[in-house]
Amino acid sequence: METIDALFNIIRTLRSKNGCAWDQKQTPETMWKCLAEELYELEEAIAKQDMQNICEELGDVLFQLIFVLEIFQEKQAFTFSEVVDKVSKKMIRRHPHVYEDASISNEQELNQQWESIKALEHEENGQIRASVLDSVPKGMPSLIRALKVSKCAVKEGFDWDNIHEVLDAAKDEINEFEEALRSGSKNEAMMEFGDILFTLVNVARVAGFHPETALAGSTAKFEGRFRLMEKELKEKQVNLKDLSKNQKELFWNRAKQSYDR
């Protein structure tokens, strides 16, 4: 608690009359953007397993969260104690197999219990949802939101029987995308491309991994290989744009081999 108090004191000083002009003008909306950036930096640090950087980025995320909370405390909307009390009660309530005598045999039953308790909470709070998809925030990054929407549909029993059916669906979407390209309709091609991405998100879901993690890993791999190719080109004083297709492939293949080692 002393550490948290120290952060609150720093933020209050920064937002005081004699503080920092930038910090003084911040709102929950502007600080959310800062928090989102810090979250992505934390994600990168975790992916790299860089413990020193993870520690630093966790601190940055915590600072942004406390900053947003302090703005609401200034407005007397709620206090830090109320936030802690609310989430503590919610976590205890949603884990009756730990804090009470509920019995759970597997992860499926655990998920069902969690969703049942959430639904009851919403009902008690008068939050009647017209669709199970209402629980998915519209501001999420599209790839993550696609996964959340898919999972909501699956919980209602709407899913493929196996991964082979999902793969077949992805192949069908690619064929439809190619047809749209041939038709010359950019809007139609864009929608069909979106269908490909959405179906591939479900391929990842059924295969048992997160599509965001998979894409981040592939992007990092490409980046690592490209940087190695850039380094070799620079050492040989060669401009990538001046190379033929075959020459580019030679440099790229060498970079791939070096990176994969």
Side-chain angles (χ1 to χ4, degrees), residues 52-85:
Q52 183 175 348
N53 200 22
I54 290 172
C55 181
E56 181 178 347
E57 296 302 340
L58 279 170
D60 290 343
V61 170
L62 179 60
F63 185 82
Q64 304 296 332
L65 284 171
I66 296 299
F67 202 115
V68 173
L69 176 52
E70 175 57 21
I71 295 175
F72 283 109
Q73 288 194 141
E74 292 172 0
K75 299 174 182 292
Q76 297 184 336
F78 46 76
T79 66
F80 175 65
S81 295
E82 289 175 310
V83 171
V84 172
D85 181 64

Side-chain angles (χ1 to χ4, degrees), residues 189-247:
M190 181 176 67
M191 289 301 298
E192 294 299 344
F193 181 74
D195 289 345
I196 293 172
L197 293 178
F198 186 84
T199 309
L200 289 176
V201 165
N202 281 280
V203 171
R205 174 183 61 78
V206 177
F209 53 81
H210 200 294
E212 182 74 22
T213 304
L215 182 58
S218 292
T219 302
K221 179 173 65 176
F222 174 86
E223 183 179 1
R225 291 172 173 177
F226 192 84
R227 287 179 184 275
L228 284 174
M229 183 175 68
E230 281 183 313
K231 182 180 179 182
E232 183 181 2
L233 290 169
K234 187 175 181 180
E235 290 172 350
K236 295 185 177 181
Q237 297 182 334
V238 177
N239 191 324
L240 180 60
K241 294 179 181 179
D242 296 333
L243 298 178
S244 67
K245 182 178 180 181
N246 288 337
Q247 289 173 320

